[in-house]
Amino acid sequence: MTTTERPGTDAERLRGRIAAELERTRARTALLTDAVDDDDLVRQHSTLMSPLVWDLAHVGNQEELWLVRDVGGREPVRRDIDDLYDAFKQPRKDRPALPLLPPAEARAYVRTVRDKVYDLLDGIRFTDRRLVEDGFAFGMIVQHEQQHDETMLATHQLRAGAPVLDAPPPPEPRVGVGGEVLVPAGPFTMGTSTDPWALDNERPAHTVELPAYRIDAAPVTNGQYRAFIADGGYDQPRWWSEAGWRHRVEADLGAPLHWRRDGDGWAYRRFGRWSAVRDDEPVVHVCWYEAQAYAAWAGKRLPTEAEWEKAARWDPATGRSRRYPWGDGDPGTAHANLGQRHLWPAPVGAYPEGASPLGVHQLVGDVWEWTASTFRGHPGFTAFPYREYSEVFFGDDHRVLRGGSFGTDRSACRGTFRNWDYPIRRQIFSGFRCARDAGCEE
Ligand SMILES: [Fe+2]
């Protein structure tokens, strides 16, 4: 952590980095909201999602609350709209009926807020308060906007109508990857106390002792998942938990979201375009119950969150935990399918440079991976900067997802980064991999 600030060096570099991250992030927000017309922006494409124009102004409102008012100590820009864009006060399904800022006003509002942020960034001292130490509050706002961008991307995936998003396909496989990797018994460091922009739920670093286990070297693919469907996986309650089977029946689940039968095979709708399901891509748009049923059918189980993180970060040569599977350096284009550079998961084997020291592939990027774990604070957790960021979600209702998807920005994805959602959710870019105890041989 920065304790002293050398003017013209560290602080200037940090200022430059923050400005670049804010700008890069806003360009993505603009791409996602400029891609559709005003009518589309104010419409609700699914009751699970907000109108895109709500996300846009909400991003600006959070930036106003934290950076303009709190960090900057400036006068409010629009105190009158705080309640409208408070995610806790306004359930998603009710948001279209609110007197939201129309698109032009929402765009003007986020621009006004951003101009004030650039202005206050110029004079900020990163040593004044813990909230701004190492630029944390700015990093939190960058991550918040990027997370809403991913949510907006999921809204685009649910949206009917002609395609409006385009991107080159992800890279082809460069190595064959399959089977399982044995992770030896022993301790590893989970979480972080030093990553400057890590959020409260990733902290603090602590030692976790795990027995030996095996984990899939790659996420479960469409081809593997199709075998589960073909084997009657959706028709046999024995593979499902009680709650899972109840949901499977009620929601009439029979395949991942956005799939449909196509002759003998399956087709998959991606951002308005139908294509054949490709067997070597990680399966995406499955809920936790589906992931858990598949794992049971395969004679395995979902990894716990600690098992996922040890496979991703633990380096047997040094005994320390890396920031990412490939090392401590930020993700590059050869490491992982992140940042909406592509609009779907890359086939297994496409990112050999992103593998972990133990040889586990595609942990970061492609698909969020469901884990067996419910969302809890790490031992020693303290809420920062507010309870509503993570703590109010702790408990048995949510399952943890790790690793990020093709729609996750690098700023919102570290080896320690934790996401959470309800076990029935599958509009998110969610897939999974399996694990099992090392002692249990087939
Ligand atoms: Fe939010």
Side-chain angles (χ1 to χ4, degrees):
M1 294 278 175
T2 311
T3 46
T4 54
E5 188 175 291
R6 286 167 290 159
T9 54
D10 292 358
E12 284 316 308
R13 248 197 313 276
L14 183 53
R15 246 185 271 283
R17 186 173 153 236
I18 288 167
E21 289 294 282
L22 286 168
E23 209 167 306
R24 190 174 68 78
T25 299
R26 187 52 52 85
R28 183 181 180 199
T29 305
L31 184 135
L32 287 159
T33 48
D34 293 349
V36 291
D37 60 21
D38 283 7
D39 189 46
D40 234 315
L41 280 177
V42 302
R43 187 183 312 154
Q44 188 170 43
H45 298 280
S46 155
T47 50
L48 294 174
M49 311 306 272
S50 317
L52 292 167
V53 78
W54 186 92
D55 286 288
L56 177 63
H58 164 81
V59 154
N61 185 242
Q62 286 291 303
E63 186 168 324
E64 181 190 343
L65 290 171
W66 286 103
L67 299 184
V68 175
R69 293 190 211 168
D70 196 327
V71 169
R74 307 268 173 106
E75 283 302 304
V77 182
R78 291 287 304 258
R79 197 198 290 282
D80 58 311
I81 61 171
D82 287 354
D83 277 2
L84 284 178
Y85 297 102
D86 184 325
F88 289 93
K89 290 190 178 139
Q90 314 293 353
R92 280 186 178 180
K93 63 174 178 34
D94 299 340
R95 290 174 191 169
L98 299 171
L100 301 176
L101 298 184
E105 258 187 77
R107 288 188 171 107
Y109 169 62
V110 300
R111 209 172 311 124
T112 302
V113 169
R114 182 55 58 89
D115 286 346
K116 288 184 188 297
V117 168
Y118 282 137
D119 185 57
L120 69 91
L121 180 61
D122 270 345
I124 196 111
R125 285 166 43 90
F126 294 113
T127 50
D128 282 353
R129 297 164 63 188
R130 177 161 169 226
L131 187 60
V132 293
E133 214 173 273
D134 295 314
F136 175 81
F138 296 90
M140 179 179 79
I141 286 301
V142 163
Q143 292 175 74
H144 177 255
E145 182 164 345
Q146 288 287 359
Q147 287 174 281
H148 275 274
D149 287 347
E150 181 166 355
T151 300
M152 288 198 272
L153 189 65
T155 304
H156 272 271
Q157 171 68 324
L158 289 162
R159 169 186 166 271
V164 295
L165 295 178
D166 224 341
E172 287 296 315
R174 287 168 49 208
V175 292
V177 178
E180 297 170 319
V181 168
L182 174 69
V183 182
F188 89 106
T189 303
M190 185 169 180
T192 177
S193 300
T194 52
D195 218 313
W197 288 4
L199 302 163
D200 60 0
N201 63 58
E202 300 167 68
R203 301 168 183 270
H206 58 288
T207 302
V208 175
E209 182 90 31
L210 291 177
Y213 61 99
R214 292 174 207 278
I215 190 162
D216 290 352
V220 169
T221 63
N222 288 330
Q224 291 170 312
Y225 200 80
R226 263 167 27 137
F228 166 67
I229 300 174
D231 196 39
Y234 278 92
D235 307 320
Q236 296 171 34
R238 64 176 168 145
W239 305 129
W240 300 72
S241 65
E242 206 176 304
W245 182 251
R246 209 167 33 233
H247 178 65
R248 132 79 195 97
V249 172
E250 269 167 25
D252 195 24
L253 303 182
L257 185 62
H258 304 300
W259 283 31
R260 74 168 180 211
R261 290 267 184 205
D262 184 25
D264 289 344
W266 291 93
Y268 165 27
R269 188 172 189 272
R270 306 197 272 213
F271 302 98
R273 295 179 184 88
W274 285 97
S275 56
V277 164
R278 184 172 155 165
D279 276 350
D280 61 355
E281 282 171 16
V283 68
V284 61
H285 293 302
V286 289
C287 70
W288 186 85
Y289 291 129
E290 290 170 298
Q292 187 262 322
Y294 172 96
W297 169 82
K300 303 186 186 185
R301 57 176 174 77
L302 294 177
T304 64
E305 202 188 347
E307 287 173 336
W308 188 95
E309 189 168 323
K310 186 176 180 184
R313 300 181 62 211
W314 182 66
D315 180 356
T318 61
R320 64 177 281 275
S321 290
R322 301 167 159 198
R323 285 184 73 216
Y324 294 97
W326 54 84
D328 293 338
D330 288 338
T333 54
H335 290 127
N337 181 9
L338 288 168
Q340 204 185 311
R341 288 195 308 275
H342 312 294
L343 289 175
W344 52 85
V348 163
Y351 289 97
E353 285 171 49
S356 76
L358 291 169
V360 185
H361 287 245
Q362 283 163 280
L363 288 147
V364 169
D366 296 304
V367 293
W368 284 104
E369 297 182 21
W370 286 113
T371 70
S373 303
T374 53
F375 190 41
R376 293 280 194 282
H378 287 330
F381 169 85
T382 44
F384 182 78
Y386 61 136
R387 282 192 70 243
E388 283 71 21
Y389 188 82
S390 316
E391 195 177 1
V392 295
F393 300 100
F394 290 168
D396 293 333
D397 290 348
H398 298 91
R399 298 295 182 285
V400 174
L401 300 110
R402 301 295 297 260
S405 76
F406 62 88
T408 308
D409 185 70
R410 58 177 154 84
S411 65
C413 184
R414 292 166 287 278
T416 54
F417 194 91
R418 308 169 75 198
N419 189 5
W420 63 91
D421 216 326
Y422 294 113
I424 63 168
R425 289 289 184 248
R426 56 185 207 157
Q427 88 282 6
I428 53 177
F429 304 114
S430 49
F432 63 104
R433 75 180 68 219
C434 300
R436 58 190 173 122
D437 301 346
C440 96
E441 293 302 328
E442 279 176 2

PDB file of all heavy atoms in Angstrom, residues 54-55 58-59 62 85-88 92 95 144-145 147-148 151 386 389, ligand 1:
ATOM      1  N   TRP A  54     -31.436   2.425 -17.698  1.00  0.00           N
ATOM      2  CA  TRP A  54     -31.296   2.447 -16.231  1.00  0.00           C
ATOM      3  C   TRP A  54     -29.854   2.160 -15.851  1.00  0.00           C
ATOM      4  O   TRP A  54     -29.265   2.878 -15.027  1.00  0.00           O
ATOM      5  CB  TRP A  54     -32.241   1.414 -15.573  1.00  0.00           C
ATOM      6  CG  TRP A  54     -32.226   1.508 -14.060  1.00  0.00           C
ATOM      7  CD1 TRP A  54     -33.068   2.262 -13.286  1.00  0.00           C
ATOM      8  CD2 TRP A  54     -31.305   0.867 -13.149  1.00  0.00           C
ATOM      9  NE1 TRP A  54     -32.727   2.129 -11.951  1.00  0.00           N
ATOM     10  CE2 TRP A  54     -31.644   1.274 -11.834  1.00  0.00           C
ATOM     11  CE3 TRP A  54     -30.225  -0.004 -13.309  1.00  0.00           C
ATOM     12  CZ2 TRP A  54     -30.955   0.843 -10.699  1.00  0.00           C
ATOM     13  CZ3 TRP A  54     -29.533  -0.441 -12.174  1.00  0.00           C
ATOM     14  CH2 TRP A  54     -29.900  -0.017 -10.891  1.00  0.00           C
ATOM     15  N   ASP A  55     -29.269   1.097 -16.443  1.00  0.00           N
ATOM     16  CA  ASP A  55     -27.861   0.779 -16.136  1.00  0.00           C
ATOM     17  C   ASP A  55     -26.966   1.989 -16.395  1.00  0.00           C
ATOM     18  O   ASP A  55     -26.068   2.283 -15.604  1.00  0.00           O
ATOM     19  CB  ASP A  55     -27.371  -0.390 -17.010  1.00  0.00           C
ATOM     20  CG  ASP A  55     -27.942  -1.723 -16.576  1.00  0.00           C
ATOM     21  OD1 ASP A  55     -27.530  -2.231 -15.528  1.00  0.00           O
ATOM     22  OD2 ASP A  55     -28.803  -2.269 -17.290  1.00  0.00           O
ATOM     23  N   HIS A  58     -27.492   4.647 -13.756  1.00  0.00           N
ATOM     24  CA  HIS A  58     -27.084   4.073 -12.463  1.00  0.00           C
ATOM     25  C   HIS A  58     -25.553   4.107 -12.313  1.00  0.00           C
ATOM     26  O   HIS A  58     -25.030   4.427 -11.244  1.00  0.00           O
ATOM     27  CB  HIS A  58     -27.609   2.644 -12.342  1.00  0.00           C
ATOM     28  CG  HIS A  58     -26.959   1.828 -11.265  1.00  0.00           C
ATOM     29  ND1 HIS A  58     -27.321   1.920  -9.938  1.00  0.00           N
ATOM     30  CD2 HIS A  58     -25.955   0.911 -11.313  1.00  0.00           C
ATOM     31  CE1 HIS A  58     -26.565   1.088  -9.226  1.00  0.00           C
ATOM     32  NE2 HIS A  58     -25.727   0.467 -10.029  1.00  0.00           N
ATOM     33  N   VAL A  59     -24.863   3.790 -13.394  1.00  0.00           N
ATOM     34  CA  VAL A  59     -23.398   3.854 -13.401  1.00  0.00           C
ATOM     35  C   VAL A  59     -22.946   5.280 -13.073  1.00  0.00           C
ATOM     36  O   VAL A  59     -22.052   5.502 -12.248  1.00  0.00           O
ATOM     37  CB  VAL A  59     -22.888   3.388 -14.798  1.00  0.00           C
ATOM     38  CG1 VAL A  59     -21.549   3.980 -15.132  1.00  0.00           C
ATOM     39  CG2 VAL A  59     -22.856   1.860 -14.868  1.00  0.00           C
ATOM     40  N   GLN A  62     -23.757   6.115  -9.262  1.00  0.00           N
ATOM     41  CA  GLN A  62     -22.775   5.548  -8.320  1.00  0.00           C
ATOM     42  C   GLN A  62     -21.477   6.350  -8.374  1.00  0.00           C
ATOM     43  O   GLN A  62     -20.838   6.585  -7.348  1.00  0.00           O
ATOM     44  CB  GLN A  62     -22.491   4.083  -8.669  1.00  0.00           C
ATOM     45  CG  GLN A  62     -23.624   3.148  -8.299  1.00  0.00           C
ATOM     46  CD  GLN A  62     -23.784   3.006  -6.791  1.00  0.00           C
ATOM     47  OE1 GLN A  62     -22.859   2.633  -6.092  1.00  0.00           O
ATOM     48  NE2 GLN A  62     -24.959   3.322  -6.283  1.00  0.00           N
ATOM     49  N   TYR A  85     -32.162   5.302  -8.975  1.00  0.00           N
ATOM     50  CA  TYR A  85     -31.044   4.473  -9.438  1.00  0.00           C
ATOM     51  C   TYR A  85     -30.395   3.696  -8.301  1.00  0.00           C
ATOM     52  O   TYR A  85     -29.274   3.218  -8.427  1.00  0.00           O
ATOM     53  CB  TYR A  85     -30.035   5.344 -10.205  1.00  0.00           C
ATOM     54  CG  TYR A  85     -30.684   5.914 -11.441  1.00  0.00           C
ATOM     55  CD1 TYR A  85     -31.123   7.238 -11.486  1.00  0.00           C
ATOM     56  CD2 TYR A  85     -30.924   5.094 -12.543  1.00  0.00           C
ATOM     57  CE1 TYR A  85     -31.767   7.744 -12.598  1.00  0.00           C
ATOM     58  CE2 TYR A  85     -31.570   5.590 -13.659  1.00  0.00           C
ATOM     59  CZ  TYR A  85     -31.989   6.913 -13.681  1.00  0.00           C
ATOM     60  OH  TYR A  85     -32.643   7.392 -14.791  1.00  0.00           O
ATOM     61  N   ASP A  86     -31.128   3.562  -7.195  1.00  0.00           N
ATOM     62  CA  ASP A  86     -30.656   2.752  -6.081  1.00  0.00           C
ATOM     63  C   ASP A  86     -31.115   1.316  -6.315  1.00  0.00           C
ATOM     64  O   ASP A  86     -32.307   1.007  -6.282  1.00  0.00           O
ATOM     65  CB  ASP A  86     -31.246   3.312  -4.773  1.00  0.00           C
ATOM     66  CG  ASP A  86     -30.713   2.579  -3.542  1.00  0.00           C
ATOM     67  OD1 ASP A  86     -30.481   1.351  -3.634  1.00  0.00           O
ATOM     68  OD2 ASP A  86     -30.539   3.232  -2.501  1.00  0.00           O
ATOM     69  N   ALA A  87     -30.142   0.431  -6.564  1.00  0.00           N
ATOM     70  CA  ALA A  87     -30.456  -0.960  -6.919  1.00  0.00           C
ATOM     71  C   ALA A  87     -31.200  -1.679  -5.801  1.00  0.00           C
ATOM     72  O   ALA A  87     -31.939  -2.627  -6.061  1.00  0.00           O
ATOM     73  CB  ALA A  87     -29.174  -1.703  -7.271  1.00  0.00           C
ATOM     74  N   PHE A  88     -31.031  -1.237  -4.561  1.00  0.00           N
ATOM     75  CA  PHE A  88     -31.714  -1.904  -3.451  1.00  0.00           C
ATOM     76  C   PHE A  88     -33.162  -1.441  -3.322  1.00  0.00           C
ATOM     77  O   PHE A  88     -34.024  -2.191  -2.903  1.00  0.00           O
ATOM     78  CB  PHE A  88     -30.958  -1.663  -2.133  1.00  0.00           C
ATOM     79  CG  PHE A  88     -29.668  -2.409  -2.077  1.00  0.00           C
ATOM     80  CD1 PHE A  88     -28.487  -1.812  -2.482  1.00  0.00           C
ATOM     81  CD2 PHE A  88     -29.636  -3.739  -1.660  1.00  0.00           C
ATOM     82  CE1 PHE A  88     -27.288  -2.517  -2.450  1.00  0.00           C
ATOM     83  CE2 PHE A  88     -28.452  -4.446  -1.626  1.00  0.00           C
ATOM     84  CZ  PHE A  88     -27.271  -3.833  -2.033  1.00  0.00           C
ATOM     85  N   ARG A  92     -35.442  -4.986 -10.208  1.00  0.00           N
ATOM     86  CA  ARG A  92     -35.257  -4.897 -11.657  1.00  0.00           C
ATOM     87  C   ARG A  92     -36.572  -4.875 -12.425  1.00  0.00           C
ATOM     88  O   ARG A  92     -36.747  -4.123 -13.370  1.00  0.00           O
ATOM     89  CB  ARG A  92     -34.402  -6.075 -12.153  1.00  0.00           C
ATOM     90  CG  ARG A  92     -32.922  -5.852 -11.915  1.00  0.00           C
ATOM     91  CD  ARG A  92     -32.096  -6.957 -12.542  1.00  0.00           C
ATOM     92  NE  ARG A  92     -30.668  -6.696 -12.345  1.00  0.00           N
ATOM     93  CZ  ARG A  92     -29.697  -7.489 -12.786  1.00  0.00           C
ATOM     94  NH1 ARG A  92     -29.992  -8.593 -13.455  1.00  0.00           N
ATOM     95  NH2 ARG A  92     -28.434  -7.192 -12.573  1.00  0.00           N
ATOM     96  N   ARG A  95     -38.197  -1.456 -12.742  1.00  0.00           N
ATOM     97  CA  ARG A  95     -37.427  -0.299 -13.225  1.00  0.00           C
ATOM     98  C   ARG A  95     -37.991   0.364 -14.491  1.00  0.00           C
ATOM     99  O   ARG A  95     -37.904   1.579 -14.623  1.00  0.00           O
ATOM    100  CB  ARG A  95     -35.953  -0.690 -13.404  1.00  0.00           C
ATOM    101  CG  ARG A  95     -35.280  -0.926 -12.058  1.00  0.00           C
ATOM    102  CD  ARG A  95     -33.863  -1.459 -12.166  1.00  0.00           C
ATOM    103  NE  ARG A  95     -33.397  -1.906 -10.839  1.00  0.00           N
ATOM    104  CZ  ARG A  95     -32.302  -2.609 -10.625  1.00  0.00           C
ATOM    105  NH1 ARG A  95     -31.521  -2.960 -11.654  1.00  0.00           N
ATOM    106  NH2 ARG A  95     -31.964  -2.976  -9.403  1.00  0.00           N
ATOM    107  N   HIS A 144     -17.190  -1.322 -11.094  1.00  0.00           N
ATOM    108  CA  HIS A 144     -18.655  -1.277 -11.057  1.00  0.00           C
ATOM    109  C   HIS A 144     -19.217  -1.038 -12.457  1.00  0.00           C
ATOM    110  O   HIS A 144     -20.140  -1.720 -12.901  1.00  0.00           O
ATOM    111  CB  HIS A 144     -19.105  -0.185 -10.086  1.00  0.00           C
ATOM    112  CG  HIS A 144     -20.593  -0.028 -10.034  1.00  0.00           C
ATOM    113  ND1 HIS A 144     -21.245   1.025 -10.635  1.00  0.00           N
ATOM    114  CD2 HIS A 144     -21.557  -0.814  -9.502  1.00  0.00           C
ATOM    115  CE1 HIS A 144     -22.552   0.884 -10.442  1.00  0.00           C
ATOM    116  NE2 HIS A 144     -22.762  -0.219  -9.754  1.00  0.00           N
ATOM    117  N   GLU A 145     -18.644  -0.071 -13.162  1.00  0.00           N
ATOM    118  CA  GLU A 145     -19.142   0.215 -14.516  1.00  0.00           C
ATOM    119  C   GLU A 145     -18.915  -0.984 -15.432  1.00  0.00           C
ATOM    120  O   GLU A 145     -19.789  -1.357 -16.211  1.00  0.00           O
ATOM    121  CB  GLU A 145     -18.470   1.479 -15.079  1.00  0.00           C
ATOM    122  CG  GLU A 145     -18.991   1.855 -16.469  1.00  0.00           C
ATOM    123  CD  GLU A 145     -18.651   3.280 -16.889  1.00  0.00           C
ATOM    124  OE1 GLU A 145     -18.266   4.089 -16.015  1.00  0.00           O
ATOM    125  OE2 GLU A 145     -18.768   3.585 -18.093  1.00  0.00           O
ATOM    126  N   GLN A 147     -18.780  -4.104 -14.572  1.00  0.00           N
ATOM    127  CA  GLN A 147     -19.721  -5.168 -14.216  1.00  0.00           C
ATOM    128  C   GLN A 147     -21.099  -4.878 -14.800  1.00  0.00           C
ATOM    129  O   GLN A 147     -21.782  -5.788 -15.269  1.00  0.00           O
ATOM    130  CB  GLN A 147     -19.793  -5.323 -12.693  1.00  0.00           C
ATOM    131  CG  GLN A 147     -18.530  -5.989 -12.153  1.00  0.00           C
ATOM    132  CD  GLN A 147     -18.519  -6.015 -10.644  1.00  0.00           C
ATOM    133  OE1 GLN A 147     -18.214  -5.023  -9.987  1.00  0.00           O
ATOM    134  NE2 GLN A 147     -18.865  -7.140 -10.077  1.00  0.00           N
ATOM    135  N   HIS A 148     -21.494  -3.592 -14.794  1.00  0.00           N
ATOM    136  CA  HIS A 148     -22.766  -3.265 -15.452  1.00  0.00           C
ATOM    137  C   HIS A 148     -22.661  -3.427 -16.957  1.00  0.00           C
ATOM    138  O   HIS A 148     -23.645  -3.772 -17.615  1.00  0.00           O
ATOM    139  CB  HIS A 148     -23.224  -1.859 -15.068  1.00  0.00           C
ATOM    140  CG  HIS A 148     -23.977  -1.873 -13.776  1.00  0.00           C
ATOM    141  ND1 HIS A 148     -25.329  -2.132 -13.702  1.00  0.00           N
ATOM    142  CD2 HIS A 148     -23.546  -1.746 -12.504  1.00  0.00           C
ATOM    143  CE1 HIS A 148     -25.695  -2.133 -12.430  1.00  0.00           C
ATOM    144  NE2 HIS A 148     -24.632  -1.900 -11.681  1.00  0.00           N
ATOM    145  N   THR A 151     -23.401  -6.894 -17.520  1.00  0.00           N
ATOM    146  CA  THR A 151     -24.851  -7.079 -17.365  1.00  0.00           C
ATOM    147  C   THR A 151     -25.576  -6.581 -18.617  1.00  0.00           C
ATOM    148  O   THR A 151     -26.516  -7.222 -19.104  1.00  0.00           O
ATOM    149  CB  THR A 151     -25.343  -6.318 -16.113  1.00  0.00           C
ATOM    150  OG1 THR A 151     -24.647  -6.848 -14.984  1.00  0.00           O
ATOM    151  CG2 THR A 151     -26.826  -6.477 -15.903  1.00  0.00           C
ATOM    152  N   TYR A 386     -18.679  -0.209   2.102  1.00  0.00           N
ATOM    153  CA  TYR A 386     -20.033  -0.224   2.649  1.00  0.00           C
ATOM    154  C   TYR A 386     -20.573  -1.642   2.638  1.00  0.00           C
ATOM    155  O   TYR A 386     -20.183  -2.468   1.828  1.00  0.00           O
ATOM    156  CB  TYR A 386     -20.965   0.727   1.887  1.00  0.00           C
ATOM    157  CG  TYR A 386     -21.175   0.447   0.409  1.00  0.00           C
ATOM    158  CD1 TYR A 386     -22.455   0.501  -0.147  1.00  0.00           C
ATOM    159  CD2 TYR A 386     -20.113   0.156  -0.453  1.00  0.00           C
ATOM    160  CE1 TYR A 386     -22.664   0.264  -1.500  1.00  0.00           C
ATOM    161  CE2 TYR A 386     -20.319  -0.083  -1.801  1.00  0.00           C
ATOM    162  CZ  TYR A 386     -21.590  -0.027  -2.318  1.00  0.00           C
ATOM    163  OH  TYR A 386     -21.796  -0.266  -3.643  1.00  0.00           O
ATOM    164  N   TYR A 389     -21.942  -3.566  -0.450  1.00  0.00           N
ATOM    165  CA  TYR A 389     -21.163  -4.082  -1.580  1.00  0.00           C
ATOM    166  C   TYR A 389     -21.221  -5.610  -1.610  1.00  0.00           C
ATOM    167  O   TYR A 389     -21.546  -6.211  -2.621  1.00  0.00           O
ATOM    168  CB  TYR A 389     -19.693  -3.582  -1.607  1.00  0.00           C
ATOM    169  CG  TYR A 389     -19.129  -4.062  -2.928  1.00  0.00           C
ATOM    170  CD1 TYR A 389     -19.373  -3.337  -4.087  1.00  0.00           C
ATOM    171  CD2 TYR A 389     -18.510  -5.293  -3.043  1.00  0.00           C
ATOM    172  CE1 TYR A 389     -19.028  -3.829  -5.323  1.00  0.00           C
ATOM    173  CE2 TYR A 389     -18.163  -5.798  -4.278  1.00  0.00           C
ATOM    174  CZ  TYR A 389     -18.417  -5.065  -5.407  1.00  0.00           C
ATOM    175  OH  TYR A 389     -18.092  -5.574  -6.632  1.00  0.00           O
TER     176      TYR A 389
HETATM  177 FE    FE B   1     -24.651  -1.362  -9.550  1.00  0.00          FE
END
